[in-house]
Amino acid sequence: MNHWWRRIVLSLVAVLVLVLVYAWLYQLGMATFEGETRTYADAIQTVIETLTTAGFGGDAGDWQSPQMNLFVVVMNLTGVLLVFLALPLIVVPLFQQALEDRPPESTELTDHIVICSYTPRSDVLAGELEAANVPYVFIDDDPELVVELNSEGTNAIYGELDQEETLQAANAADAHALVTDIDDETNAMVILTARELSSELRIVSVVEDEDVASYHRYAGADEIVRPRRVLGQSLATKATTTVSEELRDTIELSEELAVTELLVQEHSDLVGQTIPESGIRDRMGITVIGAWFNGEFVPVPGPENVIDGNTILLVAGRRDDLTELKSQTVSSLRHNPDRVVVGGYGVVGRTAVETLVSGGVSTCVVDIVDEAGVDVVGDVTDESVLEDAAVDDSRSIILTLDDDVTTIYATLVLKQVAPGVEIIARANETENIPKLYRAGAEYVLSLSTVTGRMLASILIEDEEILTPETQFELVRTTAPRIVGRSLGDVDLRARTGCTVVAVERNGDLLTDLGPEFVVSVDDMLIVAGSDEAINQFVTLAC
């Protein structure tokens, strides 16, 4: 809309300049060709009457010379031209834009997911729902955002989030579920309003403060999601697993099969080798599902992908074999393995500290707020504060800040102050994950990813996300579109970038899956890969 206002203002300025110039020429022409004197104000009046074809006043009889008659004709044609240009270029598009810029306030969807408020965390959930072909609609109280979302092909309506009329316009009573992810107080209001509207509606609430979870349940929420706590636990677990050769953070599928991600440290045995050179597949019998190189997931690492200190391997195999591989990812240069600095003491930071302490790891907390539990008060991007926290004498630092820009900057500072310290970082938005890796972080997990996966696992039927708290996604799902076809025929890895690591059939877990394996109608496939790869698999096979 601002674009159109600028166009209107510029058009009015251009017309004003034209009137002033014509008035000056008219005044000069009357004096030169007709010998008549006109004031500038009289000239302006005559020009306006001529351009608007409203009449010529008393001057029409004084135009005797061909020059003045020709000038008046030119002014008449200019007026007509302005009218014809204004309609198609300004007036009609302005009305069209006004209609387009009006945000929709209702939807006709049914059996859908109603999502109260659009946030960056919602992108992950929207992607999961789209891949599973589950309809959804956002409700937001920002009209410009709603218009923008609809222009991008995302269903969204405008309305006050906690008003019954808005939920009625979103067909909440006929929805499959309602998700509210605003803030703890507004979420409670939305829950109460939605429950008044329908006693059968499934309501899922995202909470930040764990203490309010009971209030949301009392208000009528069926499910409570605590992504910040899960994120804090995951980051802390990653810090403890990187200081030991012991294999801890695995997803046990059976006694013979586990899936895990392994962070390769600088100066470890694997650095400088490619996947084929490392012997992970041939010598250890471990399936390499993929690897992250500087934050980019590569489903089939080739000879051009060299393992370095920023590589994260996604692997599946027997626990004993994975333990052997884990020992090769740990640096031979041990550096203060029992101390971890935590930057930021919000919900995520507190949970990380609790997890570390329970695991016997000593911590040092840095935060700008002086409160109980904070050891060093100050900005984690300040070199003197980092020195006070003795970051250089620690094994890792976990950045749990609530602002991605600050986290990225803190990572850059840490790489200068303490280049040997491992950086494990929280990101709020998934788009900032590659930036953090480029800045020097060894491991990054986003709040958006954790939130979106936890919600998707609750909302999508026939699909269970087993790993909401990791960089990779492991799902348990049916695959009706490839029933009766072999894995080799479908070639899922090449087409989607993910790997079928196991299949549940008749109560048994099948792990020896060759290309000749044929998918049956009742099979539950366990599939691993990046978020994007899994979404492509769901679109193709489900």
Side-chain angles (χ1 to χ4, degrees):
M1 182 61 76
N2 290 335
H3 165 74
W4 284 107
W5 278 116
R6 285 195 299 269
R7 178 178 290 190
I8 291 172
V9 170
L10 289 174
S11 300
L12 292 175
V13 171
V15 170
L16 177 61
V17 171
L18 182 66
V19 169
L20 295 177
V21 171
Y22 272 173
W24 176 76
L25 291 174
Y26 181 81
Q27 186 184 33
L28 181 63
M30 288 297 289
T32 302
F33 301 113
E34 304 295 349
E36 299 285 345
T37 301
R38 294 289 187 273
T39 65
Y40 195 57
D42 291 337
I44 290 176
Q45 178 181 349
T46 302
V47 169
I48 292 175
E49 290 174 345
T50 305
L51 288 175
T52 59
T53 67
F56 305 116
D59 281 1
D62 295 331
W63 300 329
Q64 302 299 321
S65 66
Q67 291 88 343
M68 284 305 299
N69 280 290
L70 178 61
F71 181 69
V72 172
V73 169
V74 171
M75 285 198 297
N76 272 314
L77 291 175
T78 302
V80 174
L81 184 62
L82 286 174
V83 172
F84 278 101
L85 285 177
L87 283 173
L89 295 182
I90 297 178
V91 178
V92 174
L94 184 60
F95 277 107
Q96 291 176 338
Q97 187 73 16
L99 292 174
E100 292 175 359
D101 280 354
R102 183 175 180 179
E105 298 181 3
S106 64
T107 182
E108 297 181 358
L109 291 175
T110 57
D111 198 25
H112 55 302
I113 307 295
V114 177
I115 308 173
C116 292
S117 181
Y118 178 85
T119 67
R121 298 193 295 269
S122 308
D123 286 334
V124 176
L125 173 59
E128 298 279 357
L129 295 175
E130 288 172 4
N133 200 28
V134 176
Y136 64 90
V137 62
F138 284 104
I139 304 177
D140 204 278
D141 55 8
D142 184 343
E144 293 185 0
L145 176 60
V146 172
V147 170
E148 181 181 348
L149 289 173
N150 279 278
S151 67
E152 296 173 352
T154 300
N155 287 323
I157 65 172
Y158 167 73
E160 295 298 325
L161 296 161
D162 57 353
Q163 297 299 309
E164 184 173 345
E165 294 79 6
T166 301
L167 297 183
Q168 288 175 338
N171 283 343
D174 297 322
H176 175 69
L178 179 143
V179 175
T180 179
D181 182 12
I182 313 163
D183 58 68
D184 288 344
E185 291 184 3
T186 309
N187 284 349
M189 293 296 295
V190 172
I191 295 168
L192 288 169
T193 305
R195 189 53 72 209
E196 289 178 4
L197 186 65
S198 171
S199 59
E200 303 297 326
L201 177 63
R202 188 182 187 190
I203 301 175
V204 183
S205 178
V206 179
V207 302
E208 296 186 9
D209 185 353
E210 189 173 2
D211 293 337
V212 308
S214 58
Y215 305 146
H216 286 204
R217 288 195 180 278
Y218 182 75
D222 299 293
E223 303 279 352
I224 303 295
V225 174
R226 305 177 181 86
R228 293 176 187 269
R229 184 165 184 81
V230 172
L231 179 61
Q233 291 171 340
S234 179
L235 294 175
T237 301
K238 185 55 62 177
T240 57
T241 56
T242 58
V243 303
S244 170
E245 294 184 7
E246 182 182 350
L247 192 66
R248 299 178 185 177
D249 54 342
T250 61
I251 308 300
E252 301 283 353
L253 299 179
S254 70
E255 294 181 358
E256 298 182 352
L257 182 66
V259 179
T260 190
E261 55 183 359
L262 300 176
L263 171 61
V264 180
Q265 299 178 9
E266 290 284 2
H267 309 293
S268 68
D269 296 341
L270 295 179
V271 170
Q273 303 181 60
T274 63
I275 299 297
E277 292 171 346
S278 67
I280 296 175
R281 293 174 180 150
D282 300 332
R283 183 169 54 83
M284 301 183 189
I286 294 173
T287 300
V288 179
I289 299 170
W292 281 268
F293 296 92
N294 295 314
E296 180 181 355
F297 183 74
V298 179
V300 187
E304 71 279 5
N305 302 119
V306 179
I307 300 173
D308 60 20
N310 254 1
T311 300
I312 299 173
L313 302 175
L314 177 55
V315 291
R318 295 174 58 252
R319 187 178 180 86
D320 292 344
D321 295 331
L322 293 178
T323 301
E324 179 185 351
L325 176 60
K326 169 65 178 177
S327 67
Q328 296 188 30
T329 65
V330 177
S331 173
S332 57
L333 302 177
R334 293 299 185 87
H335 183 68
N336 299 312
D338 295 328
R339 188 175 192 271
V340 175
V341 175
V342 178
Y345 202 51
V347 176
V348 178
R350 285 187 177 89
T351 305
V353 170
E354 292 172 4
T355 306
L356 289 168
V357 171
S358 66
V361 178
S362 63
T363 63
C364 177
V365 178
V366 180
D367 197 273
I368 58 175
V369 179
D370 187 2
E371 60 177 308
V374 176
D375 302 299
V376 178
V377 179
D379 191 337
V380 75
T381 63
D382 188 331
E383 291 188 18
S384 62
V385 172
L386 295 175
E387 291 175 0
D388 292 341
V391 172
D392 196 37
D393 292 328
S394 304
R395 180 66 188 90
S396 305
I397 179 169
I398 302 176
L399 296 174
T400 63
L401 307 173
D402 198 29
D403 179 72
D404 285 353
V405 174
T406 306
T407 303
I408 293 170
Y409 187 68
T411 302
L412 293 171
V413 173
L414 283 162
K415 279 302 175 183
Q416 298 297 316
V417 175
V421 175
E422 188 174 67
I423 302 173
I424 299 172
R426 157 202 175 172
N428 288 301
E429 300 180 25
T430 53
E431 64 184 24
N432 289 323
I433 291 178
K435 297 176 185 177
L436 279 163
Y437 276 114
R438 287 195 294 270
E442 275 74 26
Y443 187 87
V444 185
L445 185 61
S446 77
L447 181 63
S448 299
T449 298
V450 174
T451 306
R453 287 181 184 170
M454 292 178 72
L455 290 171
S457 188
I458 293 172
L459 298 171
I460 300 176
E461 297 178 357
D462 299 326
E463 179 181 316
E464 180 185 3
I465 299 177
L466 303 175
T467 54
E469 73 290 353
T470 61
Q471 277 206 147
F472 71 95
E473 189 169 351
L474 187 69
V475 300
R476 178 178 178 272
T477 180
T478 57
R481 294 184 181 178
I482 61 172
V483 167
R485 301 176 63 185
S486 68
L487 295 180
D489 178 41
V490 179
D491 199 8
L492 291 173
R493 189 160 188 173
R495 297 175 66 181
T496 67
C498 62
T499 301
V500 180
V501 296
V503 172
E504 294 180 1
R505 175 181 290 177
N506 299 326
D508 297 325
L509 186 69
L510 309 179
T511 59
D512 187 14
L513 307 176
E516 70 285 351
F517 182 86
V518 177
V519 179
S520 297
V521 65
D522 293 325
D523 285 348
M524 295 293 294
L525 278 62
I526 298 177
V527 188
S530 66
D531 288 322
E532 182 180 358
I534 292 297
N535 286 343
Q536 291 179 3
F537 167 80
V538 173
T539 301
L540 174 68
C542 303

